[in-house]
Amino acid sequence: MGKATLVVWFSILVLVGISSNRTVKAGPINYKDALAKSILFFQGQRSGSLSAASQQIHWRTSSGLYDGRLAHVDLTGGYYDAGDNVKFNFPMAFTTTMLSWNTLEYGKRMGPQLPNARAAIRWATDYLLKCARATPGRLYVGVGDPNADHKCWERPEDMDTVRSVYSVSPSNPGSDVAGETAAALAAASMVFRKVDPHYSKLLLSTAKKVMQFAIQYRGSYSDSLGSAVCPFYCSYSGYKDELLWGATWLLTATNDVTYFNFIKSLGASDSPDIFSWDNKYAGAYVLLSRRALLNKDNKFMTFKQQAEQFICRILPNSPTSSTQYTQGGLMYKLPASNLQYVTAISSVISTYSKYIAVTKQTFNCGNLVVSSRSLRNFVKRQVDYILGVNPLKMSYMVGYGPNYPKRIHHRGSSLPSLSRHPQSFGCEGGFQPFFYSANPNPNILIGAVVGGPNQNDGYPDDRSDYSHAEPATYINAAIVGPLAYFAGSSKF
């Protein structure tokens, strides 16, 4: 049977399977369970040397143990961004920033998951520190040739594609990836400030140096690195938002007025209706608005207004909304991996909800009065949809609930583990019979949130449909906050 025929047959089979699942009832939402699983997911994305004692996702073992060797540096560790075997630092650093922010905001609500959240952050920051400190004047920003990798379907443990090393420097700048790396290190420094002061100081001092590099040598890493990062993680929004984001986090971590003056000099007045690994404006506005709301610092009132204008572009009943919703109530931004925008936007809105709850404030979107409660309810609807309150009664978090994606676009999950199949598959060895198969993945990547349903609330559960079936670290990092918010709250 040819590949095309097989895929058509497979899609029909899966769609029939989904139709039969429409009667499945979504049980009550267990936010604590979902939170634990959302953090556990990161263990499935780990690169580097994995210890059996600390690894709960047992079908994953050590990989990428020679990363950095081509540049004569140690770049082992970090995370694979999604279902592939490449380490892209731009989304990895954003993942780290969001995990850190959510841990700072909701750590007290995480209960026993707080140490696990810190461990997930540290797995990334240990790697980012290597990238920033290995060679003076150079920031390493990725390992693995993405064009070669995407022609293969093999386990991370079997990788035989070239592990090219990519970096930015004064002559090949990357203010976007450097600004995001600085943000990640600065945010994480606050997470570890009390529990590991020495590590926290190392993170912060490195963040300052990386931020200085981002400011001094202006330019986009997309221009410097070309096909090594585009079209995979091009910096489509430019680098000004990362300069703002990095400076915002360093201001938050240091209270150094130099960063505030730099933020003012950027004149950031963009009016986004999205928040993602590429576009950071909305996140910076919300974080800066904290000072206007909680510290009553009028110098930050502009950012409060910009944060509220952003939220008004999101809410469905707002007269200035520019956001579409599916019939089932899911925020719908873009066809490719839409849930990344749902989780990221839900995260910043839940945090803003928290800020205005503390100060007992409301704001207006035209004639619509917006309260902390209305924002909390909005976020809850989005999170509940992801966890199964939707037309298909399907949880888009793998391993949560009775009905979830079984054929995710993920190499390690879709191929038999080393313990079951010790022989290497080779670069193309995983396509037949595993990629082009209607069988569920043999390994369950617990906690993985996939790209999600289409604009009609449909989901074919098709492994080859990466824009809907692929999980990613930045989808999960963002949902950790809202899940902790609801897991630690007795009232919604």
Side-chain angles (χ1 to χ4, degrees):
M1 192 182 292
K3 285 182 183 177
T5 310
L6 188 63
V7 169
V8 169
W9 167 82
F10 166 53
S11 298
I12 291 169
L13 179 77
V14 171
L15 285 167
V16 168
I18 280 189
S19 298
S20 66
N21 280 333
R22 286 180 181 273
T23 56
V24 175
K25 297 290 183 198
I29 301 296
N30 185 336
Y31 298 107
K32 288 182 179 177
D33 182 46
L35 172 65
K37 287 172 174 168
S38 71
I39 297 171
L40 179 61
F41 155 78
F42 288 94
Q43 292 194 15
Q45 299 303 112
R46 286 174 170 177
S47 183
S49 179
L50 307 191
S51 144
S54 64
Q55 185 70 17
Q56 291 172 270
I57 294 187
H58 300 296
W59 49 266
R60 277 298 326 283
T61 58
S62 301
S63 63
L65 296 179
Y66 303 109
D67 282 359
R69 182 172 282 187
L70 289 177
H72 309 290
V73 290
D74 172 15
L75 298 179
T76 55
Y79 291 115
Y80 304 117
D81 70 293
D84 51 26
N85 298 328
V86 184
K87 295 193 303 202
F88 291 100
N89 286 27
F90 194 35
M92 195 196 308
F94 176 71
T95 293
T96 311
T97 310
M98 290 305 293
L99 266 179
S100 298
W101 191 7
N102 284 328
T103 302
L104 290 168
E105 295 288 356
Y106 305 108
K108 289 178 180 174
R109 293 171 178 250
M110 287 182 175
Q113 296 310 316
L114 180 56
N116 296 329
R118 288 194 194 116
I121 294 163
R122 189 159 190 154
W123 195 271
T125 51
D126 282 352
Y127 166 77
L128 293 175
L129 283 171
K130 292 178 183 180
C131 292
R133 294 165 56 83
T135 306
R138 186 173 296 276
L139 175 68
Y140 294 98
V141 300
V143 183
D145 180 337
N147 295 288
D149 178 87
H150 283 68
K151 292 173 184 169
C152 300
W153 196 260
E154 59 184 340
R155 300 174 298 204
E157 294 83 359
D158 288 343
M159 274 188 292
D160 53 7
T161 50
V162 61
R163 299 299 283 171
S164 305
V165 176
Y166 303 100
S167 62
V168 293
S169 63
S171 57
N172 287 289
S175 299
D176 27 35
V177 69
E180 183 59 73
T181 302
L185 296 172
S189 77
M190 298 171 71
V191 172
F192 293 102
R193 189 171 283 170
K194 289 182 180 176
V195 292
D196 192 339
H198 175 75
Y199 189 64
S200 173
K201 285 174 185 172
L202 177 63
L203 290 168
L204 187 56
S205 64
T206 308
K208 290 175 181 177
K209 289 174 185 171
V210 175
M211 192 65 209
Q212 184 55 42
F213 172 84
I215 294 169
Q216 191 169 346
Y217 303 105
R218 305 278 178 104
S220 172
Y221 96 135
S222 301
D223 295 334
S224 294
L225 295 173
S227 63
V229 296
C230 293
F232 312 101
Y233 292 104
C234 269
S235 182
Y236 296 103
S237 67
Y239 59 78
K240 188 170 144 184
D241 56 316
E242 278 81 28
L243 290 179
L244 172 66
W245 182 236
T248 297
W249 274 108
L250 275 157
L251 174 65
T252 306
T254 66
N255 282 321
D256 185 339
V257 71
T258 309
Y259 294 111
F260 176 63
N261 292 334
F262 176 70
I263 289 167
K264 282 197 299 184
S265 77
L266 286 172
S269 58
D270 290 69
S271 302
D273 66 352
I274 207 157
F275 177 55
S276 71
W277 58 261
D278 178 44
N279 192 318
K280 320 290 165 52
Y281 286 110
Y285 296 158
V286 168
L287 185 56
L288 289 167
S289 70
R290 178 190 176 102
R291 289 173 176 260
L293 286 161
L294 274 60
N295 302 350
K296 298 183 171 52
D297 189 334
N298 288 331
K299 295 194 298 293
F300 292 86
M301 285 301 292
T302 302
F303 302 110
K304 174 181 179 289
Q305 291 160 6
Q306 287 172 314
E308 290 172 357
Q309 287 165 10
F310 163 73
I311 294 170
C312 290
R313 292 185 200 99
I314 302 298
L315 298 179
N317 299 324
S318 164
T320 53
S321 180
S322 55
T323 303
Q324 288 184 295
Y325 288 81
T326 68
Q327 201 156 0
L330 180 70
M331 188 193 313
Y332 193 80
K333 281 294 181 185
L334 288 167
S337 191
N338 178 58
L339 287 189
Q340 66 175 302
Y341 308 110
V342 178
T343 61
I345 291 169
S346 295
S347 182
V348 292
I349 290 181
S350 70
T351 295
Y352 198 78
S353 160
K354 184 183 154 201
Y355 295 166
I356 63 171
V358 170
T359 54
K360 297 183 170 57
Q361 292 196 26
T362 60
F363 64 94
N364 287 60
C365 298
N367 57 1
L368 178 71
V369 178
V370 181
S371 65
S372 173
R373 178 181 289 276
S374 62
L375 291 182
R376 196 164 60 239
N377 289 339
F378 167 80
V379 172
K380 186 176 184 296
R381 282 195 298 274
Q382 299 303 304
V383 170
D384 288 0
Y385 183 108
I386 292 170
L387 296 179
V389 184
N390 57 57
L392 293 183
K393 304 291 187 287
M394 171 176 267
S395 159
Y396 292 101
M397 176 183 283
V398 174
Y400 177 86
N403 183 29
Y404 54 82
K406 304 294 195 300
R407 301 164 187 85
I408 66 171
H409 182 95
H410 189 277
R411 288 157 173 76
S413 171
S414 68
L415 295 165
S417 64
L418 270 178
S419 62
R420 286 183 50 208
H421 191 285
Q423 298 80 24
S424 169
F425 286 105
C427 169
E428 297 182 5
F431 284 110
Q432 294 287 8
F434 301 105
F435 182 82
Y436 296 108
S437 164
N439 293 328
N441 287 6
N443 305 311
I444 299 175
L445 183 55
I446 293 172
V449 180
V450 295
N454 60 31
Q455 61 189 0
N456 299 314
D457 297 299
Y459 184 79
D461 202 6
D462 178 347
R463 192 176 294 110
S464 66
D465 181 9
Y466 63 86
S467 69
H468 297 105
E470 188 169 17
T473 52
Y474 41 89
I475 305 178
N476 268 67
I479 203 173
V480 163
L483 287 174
Y485 190 46
F486 296 130
S489 179
S490 59
K491 58 180 181 178
F492 305 128

